[in-house]
Amino acid sequence: MTNDPVGTELATCLRDIAQGRADAFRRLYEAEAGRMLGIALRILKRRSLAEEAVHDAFVSIWNRAASYDARLGSPRGWIHTIVRNRALNILRGEARTELTDSLEPLEIASGDENPEEAVGRLSDAEALRHCLDRLETAPRHAVVLAYVEGLSHGEIAERLRIPLGTIKSRIRRSLLALKECLG
């Protein structure tokens, strides 16, 4: 690895990320995000899905940086494998999650009603309410804003001051959980 300055820098970034250093995470992002997006785009063919894969991959890298083992491969190979696997998982699951494009908002709520109050109005849909209650608060909040208030992902991200990719991931995962619960 001493002959590979890029590999050495990436390995250093991963070691520092494992110690919780945000500056190392930023350096890794600046060095690899473009390549990772390219990998995801080749697999997924849609920029929004590719961006989601890259976002999820970086979350995984942040959480799992300590598990990188240089004896098993290069740091770039480890990083690119994470994004590739995430993109393939999205590709495999896309047919099951495209329902987000076909759902109409359940009922437009007033802008001053919070999402938890909106869930309470769904009393006639007891099964849906039960499944929504099983979701954690933040993902449930995003789903309700999308499908009860009819907000776009961008509007939700702006309202909650959360990155767009995070909102998309929360909604996507929540819809999968709801589908499984209702199925």
Side-chain angles (χ1 to χ4, degrees):
M1 188 133 93
T2 58
N3 294 336
D4 179 12
V6 172
T8 301
E9 173 60 21
L10 293 176
T12 300
C13 284
L14 290 173
R15 183 192 69 233
D16 292 347
I17 290 167
Q19 296 172 358
R21 292 195 40 207
D23 62 315
F25 188 74
R26 180 188 44 75
R27 286 193 324 270
L28 180 72
Y29 180 87
E30 290 171 354
E32 293 300 312
R35 286 182 193 87
M36 292 169 69
L37 184 60
I39 291 166
L41 273 170
R42 280 192 297 280
I43 295 168
L44 295 166
K45 310 289 189 242
R46 287 179 37 201
R47 187 169 188 90
S48 63
L49 292 176
E51 288 171 352
E52 178 182 337
V54 171
H55 171 269
D56 291 352
F58 272 107
V59 169
S60 182
I61 290 166
W62 177 261
N63 291 325
R64 296 178 37 217
S67 70
Y68 168 68
D69 184 349
R71 294 174 296 173
L72 301 176
S74 73
R76 183 171 277 158
W78 185 78
I79 292 164
H80 291 187
T81 298
I82 291 172
V83 75
R84 178 186 164 279
N85 289 344
R86 182 63 194 122
L88 289 171
N89 287 341
I90 289 171
L91 187 63
R92 288 181 195 115
E94 184 179 9
R96 293 190 305 265
T97 60
E98 281 302 307
L99 61 104
T100 59
D101 294 333
S102 62
L103 284 179
E104 292 295 320
L106 299 173
E107 186 177 326
I108 302 299
S110 66
D112 55 349
E113 180 179 45
N114 77 39
E116 296 306 315
E117 290 169 344
V119 170
R121 289 188 301 102
L122 299 174
S123 60
D124 59 330
E126 194 59 39
L128 178 59
R129 185 178 204 188
H130 168 75
C131 292
L132 281 168
D133 286 343
R134 291 178 59 188
L135 296 175
E136 292 181 23
T137 302
R140 179 177 58 238
H141 194 123
V143 168
V144 171
L145 287 172
Y147 294 102
V148 175
E149 292 193 26
L151 299 180
S152 70
H153 291 154
E155 291 168 329
I156 296 167
E158 186 177 310
R159 182 182 283 189
L160 300 179
R161 295 186 179 115
I162 295 174
L164 179 60
T166 301
I167 292 298
K168 288 180 177 182
S169 294
R170 281 183 183 171
I171 291 173
R172 183 174 182 280
R173 288 183 186 120
S174 296
L175 290 174
L176 286 171
L178 288 172
K179 182 177 178 182
E180 183 176 314
C181 178
L182 291 168

